[in-house]
Amino acid sequence: MINRDTSTLSALLVAGLLLLPGSANAQSFLQSSMGLSEQEQSQFRQSQSASAQAQSGGQSSNVDASPRANWQSTNYGPVVKPNNYGMEAKPPKAEMDKLEPFGANLFEGGFRGTMADGLNASYKIKPGDQVTLRAWGAVELDQTIPVDAQGNVYIPSIGPVQVQGMNSQQLDATVRSAIQNVYPQDVQVYTNLQGVQPVGVFVTGYVESPGRYAGTPSDSVLYFLDQAGGIDKDLGSYRQIRVERDGRTVASVDLYDFLLDGDIQRPQFKDGDTIVVEERGPAIAVTGDVKREYRYELQGSQLSGADVQRLARLNSGVSHVLLRGDRSDGPMAEYFPLDEFASQTVQSGDEVLFSSDQRAETIVVEVEGSFYGPSRYALPRNARLGEFLDAIGVPKEMTSVQDISILRESVAKQQEEALDKSLQRLQTTYLGYPARTAEEGKIQVQQAELIERFVQKASKVEPTGQLVVARGNSGIADVRLQDGDVVKIPETNDAVLLSGEVTMPQAVVYTPGMSVEDYIEQAGGFTPRANDDGILVAHRNGAVIPADDAKLRAGDEIIVLPRAPTSNLELAKSITQILYQVAVATKVALDL
């Protein structure tokens, strides 16, 4: 029986809790779990109402018990609306300025290293260029003729011919026609644009090193930008680049066209032209499971989800997209399936996070050792070890069923993390203490050197991740399998392996009735560095136990650990514990 006064007091105590936002669903649970009577429930409701009125200045108020997130929709993020404290639920956003801009590595390609030869098909001839002319037959000519200030080439016995503004094909046709007008028969003509006059181009705006740079009229915008150190990654635009001549824009360059498709504007430069890199425009941040995790600049103020996918180049397996940003009605966060995101509108300042959030319904498990059939199996996600082993045939007389184990990546990671923490504790505990005397200082230096060598060696070991599933004489634990598991079904083994601090590490034939000490004596006994209290027996199923508690069987490994080389008992104990930890995780006696 619950005391009535106590029950009433309990109701009053929980009344304040139930006034908190989002606690409406707790009311029926608390009342039923406390076993209140009808009268007690009435007192409970009255006390709750009184407390609410007191908090609202005597006025009754209704608690907003609506959920703060719509968990039944595909938008798993928060529903954006003012909360009970008058503040908006604004999702955290990535720091966009910490992302490199798309194209940041463009000017590592060595554009400045190769100057154009000026002989591309679209080059327009201008004064100062050199034309090679050869004619034979009715007239003999072989000379290099400059283009004069009027844009003409003077051909002996023919006269001046206007060639300025022509390309190489038009040059050949014009000169040929001029010669054949004078010598209509038996004449062959060959022309070649031999050289071009260099130009100086100013590069300014948001580049690393503004200045005037030399080149040829046919050099690309990238050549001059590279000479100027490339575009300022933090402030410069990769999409708004102008080529100015005499106060007017003669070309506009969007480097995204070059980065994505290899297309780029090819203006022919004149001496005194200016390349202007504008300030960075509106941008979005794209992160997650993409090949190109960058800050992307917009042309305009928005683009479609399909355009974002084309820019970012998704990794395989991407299934969902998180879109976060600010809109006119407040912050927003939407979580879309990938096929729905293509039609969404992405605006300046948004963060787009692609994720592989589609759980596979199958896992892949590998088998090693003594078995029949394939070595890999695609299994249901909830498959268990017992049913898996029932489906695998094994050679009955050749298989050590009691030594079945699982190699699991997550276990190896846990073993590695545990070892790292132990090593950190060792360094934290024994390094950095001030010495009180000179002699104590020498000892501490020696200990520090020992610890550093030990930590360096121990940090290099790689745990096996072996999961022990054997339960002594009661069979195998029916654990759930995970993707990437390797189920080891070892063959029978007639040997016992001795390793670590024994005189002659070796494998010997298992003999029933022989003890651990017998095998060690057969291997020449302990080395001077051996810890005769640190002897372990490792079964092939992954279990590692002290030799005193072990029952030897065929296939076992006897591991003799080294003795910690220090007279500091506490330090020796810490090192020994880590040596045990390494032996369990790797079946290796770490050499000191």
Side-chain angles (χ1 to χ4, degrees):
M1 286 291 291
I2 300 177
N3 183 276
R4 187 167 303 278
D5 293 337
T6 305
S7 174
T8 304
L9 177 61
S10 300
L12 291 172
L13 289 174
V14 299
L17 173 63
L18 295 177
L19 289 173
L20 295 176
S23 63
N25 290 335
Q27 180 172 330
S28 59
F29 167 75
L30 285 173
Q31 291 176 354
S32 60
S33 63
M34 292 172 60
L36 302 182
S37 66
E38 289 295 332
Q39 181 181 354
E40 291 165 345
Q41 291 183 28
S42 176
Q43 294 175 355
F44 173 83
R45 287 191 292 269
Q46 290 173 8
S47 63
Q48 180 180 355
S49 176
S51 299
Q53 290 185 23
Q55 290 189 2
S56 60
Q59 300 295 325
S60 62
S61 61
N62 295 324
V63 176
D64 180 11
S66 60
R68 288 172 291 173
N70 182 7
W71 303 110
Q72 301 304 317
S73 72
T74 57
N75 303 326
Y76 303 115
V79 175
V80 179
K81 64 177 183 179
N83 59 27
N84 294 320
Y85 304 100
M87 299 179 292
E88 291 182 338
K90 186 173 183 178
K93 294 181 64 178
E95 295 187 32
M96 187 177 300
D97 289 338
K98 289 188 176 181
L99 285 175
E100 285 203 326
F102 179 53
N105 59 351
L106 178 61
F107 296 100
E108 298 173 5
F111 295 112
R112 76 180 77 176
T114 305
M115 184 181 292
D117 58 13
L119 302 181
N120 64 74
S122 61
Y123 177 75
K124 305 297 183 182
I125 297 172
K126 61 183 182 62
D129 291 345
Q130 302 285 323
V131 178
T132 299
L133 171 63
R134 292 186 178 89
W136 60 96
V139 62
E140 296 288 335
L141 292 172
D142 186 1
Q143 63 185 104
T144 299
I145 308 171
V147 180
D148 62 25
Q150 287 75 39
N152 299 322
V153 290
Y154 183 83
I155 304 175
S157 72
I158 303 296
V161 178
Q162 178 66 233
V163 296
Q164 182 175 351
M166 295 181 181
N167 58 34
S168 58
Q169 291 181 341
Q170 293 168 334
L171 167 70
D172 185 78
T174 300
V175 172
R176 186 184 303 274
S177 175
I179 294 176
Q180 289 180 344
N181 282 339
V182 178
Y183 302 98
Q185 295 180 344
D186 299 327
V187 65
Q188 302 294 325
V189 179
Y190 169 79
T191 61
N192 180 45
L193 187 60
Q194 186 180 41
V196 297
Q197 190 175 19
V199 295
V201 174
F202 296 96
V203 184
T204 187
Y206 292 92
V207 292
E208 296 293 342
S209 303
R212 186 176 186 269
Y213 297 94
T216 69
S218 293
D219 281 318
S220 72
V221 172
L222 294 172
Y223 173 78
F224 291 104
L225 288 175
D226 200 10
Q227 289 195 91
I231 295 172
D232 187 316
K233 294 180 181 181
D234 296 322
L235 301 174
S237 171
Y238 286 75
R239 311 203 70 174
Q240 302 288 341
I241 302 169
R242 306 190 319 269
V243 179
E244 298 284 326
R245 181 178 300 155
D246 299 327
R248 61 188 179 88
T249 300
V250 295
S252 297
V253 179
D254 182 351
L255 292 182
Y256 277 26
D257 293 336
F258 176 73
L259 290 164
L260 294 171
D261 304 315
D263 300 330
I264 192 171
Q265 284 267 21
R266 300 280 302 191
Q268 182 170 313
F269 289 98
K270 290 187 176 181
D271 192 66
D273 283 353
T274 302
I275 298 174
V276 182
V277 177
E278 305 243 5
E279 185 179 5
R280 186 188 89 195
I284 63 171
V286 177
T287 59
D289 293 328
V290 295
K291 299 185 186 301
R292 297 170 174 171
E293 197 170 59
Y294 291 119
R295 180 181 70 235
Y296 290 89
E297 188 178 349
L298 305 184
Q299 278 281 42
S301 60
Q302 62 185 35
L303 72 166
S304 69
D307 292 332
V308 176
Q309 291 178 227
R310 176 173 174 267
L311 287 170
R313 302 297 169 90
L314 312 185
N315 292 334
S316 60
V318 170
S319 60
H320 288 79
V321 187
L322 174 64
L323 175 62
R324 302 193 277 198
D326 295 308
R327 298 294 183 264
S328 58
D329 56 350
M332 56 83 68
E334 299 287 337
Y335 197 56
F336 300 100
L338 185 61
D339 56 352
E340 293 182 16
F341 176 69
S343 60
Q344 301 301 317
T345 299
V346 182
Q347 299 183 12
S348 174
D350 285 355
E351 179 193 358
V352 182
L353 187 148
F354 292 91
S355 62
S356 302
D357 203 11
Q358 188 84 22
R359 286 180 178 270
E361 292 304 316
T362 59
I363 60 174
V364 176
V365 175
E366 188 175 349
V367 189
E368 288 184 357
S370 176
F371 63 95
Y372 296 119
S375 60
R376 287 180 176 84
Y377 292 83
L379 305 175
R381 194 156 56 94
N382 60 350
R384 307 192 76 85
L385 178 60
E387 59 182 328
F388 178 59
L389 293 176
D390 289 342
I392 297 177
V394 299
K396 187 175 180 180
E397 303 299 329
M398 297 174 56
T399 306
S400 180
V401 178
Q402 62 183 347
D403 288 322
I404 290 174
S405 63
I406 295 176
L407 298 183
R408 180 167 289 177
E409 186 176 346
S410 61
V411 173
K413 186 175 181 181
Q414 291 172 352
Q415 290 174 333
E416 184 176 5
E417 290 174 352
L419 178 59
D420 289 341
K421 290 179 180 177
S422 297
L423 294 174
Q424 289 174 8
R425 282 197 300 270
L426 178 66
Q427 291 178 302
T428 304
T429 304
Y430 295 101
L431 296 182
Y433 285 121
R436 291 171 294 185
T437 64
E439 186 65 27
E440 188 175 298
K442 292 180 181 179
I443 295 174
Q444 287 186 355
V445 169
Q446 294 173 352
Q447 287 184 355
E449 292 175 351
L450 167 65
I451 292 171
E452 289 302 326
R453 287 196 304 270
F454 177 69
V455 169
Q456 186 176 8
K457 285 187 176 183
S459 60
K460 293 180 181 179
V461 302
E462 296 183 1
T464 60
Q466 192 167 12
L467 177 64
V468 181
V469 294
R471 287 179 169 171
N473 297 325
S474 58
I476 303 296
D478 191 21
V479 299
R480 187 172 66 83
L481 296 171
Q482 294 183 8
D483 187 50
D485 279 353
V486 178
V487 179
K488 298 192 68 173
I489 308 176
E491 290 187 357
T492 55
N493 190 329
D494 295 328
V496 171
L497 178 65
L498 288 98
S499 63
E501 298 300 327
V502 292
T503 303
M504 294 179 292
Q506 58 185 287
V508 298
V509 175
Y510 170 72
T511 303
M514 284 185 65
S515 66
V516 171
E517 291 76 11
D518 294 335
Y519 284 106
I520 293 175
E521 186 177 346
Q522 187 174 332
F526 297 111
T527 67
R529 297 186 305 169
N531 177 8
D532 53 8
D533 292 326
I535 306 173
L536 302 176
V537 173
H539 297 312
R540 286 193 295 165
N541 60 17
V544 179
I545 53 181
D548 293 340
D549 303 326
K551 183 178 179 181
L552 280 175
R553 60 177 186 246
D556 284 348
E557 179 179 358
I558 299 172
I559 305 172
V560 180
L561 300 180
R563 184 176 59 252
T566 176
S567 58
N568 185 321
L569 296 180
E570 289 297 324
L571 176 58
K573 182 178 178 181
S574 297
I575 291 177
T576 301
Q577 288 175 344
I578 296 177
L579 288 172
Y580 274 91
Q581 192 174 350
V582 171
V584 170
T586 65
K587 293 188 179 179
V588 172
L590 192 64
D591 183 16
L592 297 179

